[in-house]
Amino acid sequence: MEIPENGDHRSEPIRADRIEIAQALPESGNAEARGFRAEGDSALEADDLDKAATTYQAAIGADGDNIRAHHNLGVVYYRLDEWASARKCFERCKELAPEEADLSFKVGLCYLKDEQSSEAQKAFETTLEQNQDHLSARFQLALLYARTTSGARDRGRAVQALQDILSAADKGVPCPNLDRVCFLLGSFLDDHSENRLEAISIYRKGLEVNPLFAQGHNNLGVLLMEEGQNLQALGAFKIALHLEPDYTLPYRNLAHLLFDHMSPVQMEHEYNNIIEEFGGQAATVLARLSLE
């Protein structure tokens, strides 16, 4: 089965690599610096990045230790894809507030965007040393492990990191990308029959969060079919096709289910159901099923 990516584009999940304007960092004691920083925030919220950068720089000129101005200038550079400049801003923030684990995480994101994976990994590990419940850092580490080609060791590290995230989420730790965690973990587990039931449970958990992700429904359907739960598998494949009519794999898997796991009478019944459920799209669906 394929490894799911970010989730269906229509569900608008929270991005794991987005950096927002700082609200909780300490404010400058310099009134002029505070004024420039506030003006910069307004410009940034209006997506006027040039004005935001200019006013944040003015705020820093008035108070070189203005951590909120440094941070939000980093946000500007980050949105401009100027990763090295953004990283320097967050590193300066880290000097001013070394106890803030989230600053190390943002440094790591900049390294990641700049394709410096080893440095990014170090930054995310530093984040977790300061805050074990920083699930976004743990997720980024899992993605890094998943992308490596060194074999079972990194695959195991990725699985463990993802399982740790789910354990923390079950205990109430906020996890803004729970669907992505579930779909990625499910894709690691579903290749091994001994993990099939766990993978089914994890895919279902992800689909509760993001029910519009066609790949998740397709992969769940394959697992259900392998478990002999044909009717539930049938429903999963149909949902995937409703969500993405041009998605090839559900047609292939549904054809396999119909032709290899059902009697001619059951097939006829399901073909009639498809005609009823898909309406004007039924002819296209049946044609593609026949081709598969």
Side-chain angles (χ1 to χ4, degrees):
M1 279 175 279
E2 60 190 336
I3 295 179
E5 295 294 338
N6 293 348
D8 190 274
H9 63 280
R10 288 164 291 185
S11 62
E12 298 184 359
I14 297 173
R15 283 177 48 189
D17 61 350
R18 183 171 175 83
I19 299 177
E20 301 292 350
I21 295 174
Q23 302 293 344
L25 291 174
E27 183 59 276
S28 172
N30 181 298
E32 183 181 22
R34 290 198 304 274
F36 281 128
R37 193 275 309 156
E39 185 179 350
D41 287 356
S42 296
L44 181 53
E45 289 170 350
D47 207 29
D48 188 345
L49 300 183
D50 289 337
K51 181 179 179 180
T54 299
T55 49
Y56 287 139
Q57 288 162 351
I60 293 168
D63 177 5
D65 293 339
N66 188 343
I67 186 171
R68 290 181 69 172
H70 281 291
H71 178 280
N72 293 347
L73 179 59
V75 176
V76 172
Y77 288 135
Y78 192 84
R79 293 187 185 178
L80 290 170
D81 297 346
E82 297 180 19
W83 316 122
S85 295
R87 188 183 74 245
K88 289 178 181 177
C89 290
F90 298 131
E91 288 173 338
R92 175 59 178 147
C93 292
K94 189 67 178 172
E95 293 174 0
L96 295 169
E99 73 285 354
E100 290 285 343
D102 199 50
L103 296 173
S104 293
F105 173 69
K106 291 166 182 173
V107 170
L109 287 181
C110 294
Y111 275 124
L112 194 63
K113 291 289 190 179
D114 211 17
E115 299 183 353
Q116 299 185 55
S117 297
S118 61
E119 295 301 323
Q121 180 173 328
K122 292 176 185 176
F124 296 142
E125 289 170 347
T126 298
T127 304
L128 291 175
E129 288 171 4
Q130 292 186 281
N131 179 6
Q132 285 293 307
D133 288 336
H134 199 299
L135 300 190
S136 292
R138 200 173 290 281
F139 181 59
Q140 291 298 337
L141 277 174
L143 291 176
L144 285 171
Y145 297 148
R147 291 169 186 155
T148 60
T149 57
S150 56
R153 178 174 178 269
D154 281 324
R155 180 189 179 94
R157 295 169 76 186
V159 168
Q160 186 61 59
L162 294 166
Q163 288 174 331
D164 289 344
I165 292 172
L166 291 187
S167 295
D170 287 342
K171 295 175 183 176
V173 179
C175 182
N177 299 281
L178 183 60
D179 55 336
R180 294 184 64 193
V181 172
C182 291
F183 296 140
L184 183 57
L185 179 56
S187 72
F188 279 121
L189 296 176
D190 62 21
D191 291 333
H192 303 277
S193 58
E194 66 271 18
N195 297 325
R196 193 179 293 150
L197 293 178
E198 182 182 0
I200 288 173
S201 176
I202 289 170
Y203 273 120
R204 282 175 168 159
K205 182 189 289 285
L207 290 169
E208 287 177 4
V209 179
N210 181 4
L212 301 180
F213 188 33
Q215 284 179 287
H217 287 286
N218 175 74
N219 288 7
L220 175 61
V222 172
L223 292 169
L224 292 169
M225 182 168 60
E226 291 172 348
E227 281 292 301
Q229 301 180 40
N230 293 335
L231 290 179
Q232 292 187 53
L234 184 71
F237 295 140
K238 286 180 180 178
I239 292 172
L241 292 178
H242 277 294
L243 291 170
E244 290 193 23
D246 294 327
Y247 183 22
T248 300
L249 284 180
Y251 290 102
R252 186 174 305 160
N253 293 325
L254 181 54
H256 175 50
L257 175 62
L258 292 172
F259 284 87
D260 294 341
H261 294 271
M262 291 190 172
S263 68
V265 173
Q266 290 174 316
M267 283 180 58
E268 180 181 0
H269 177 71
E270 290 306 329
Y271 266 61
N272 289 330
N273 284 343
I274 289 171
I275 292 171
E276 180 178 342
E277 293 173 23
F278 283 85
Q281 296 296 316
T284 301
V285 171
L286 292 175
R288 294 195 62 171
L289 278 176
S290 297
L291 287 174
E292 292 297 338

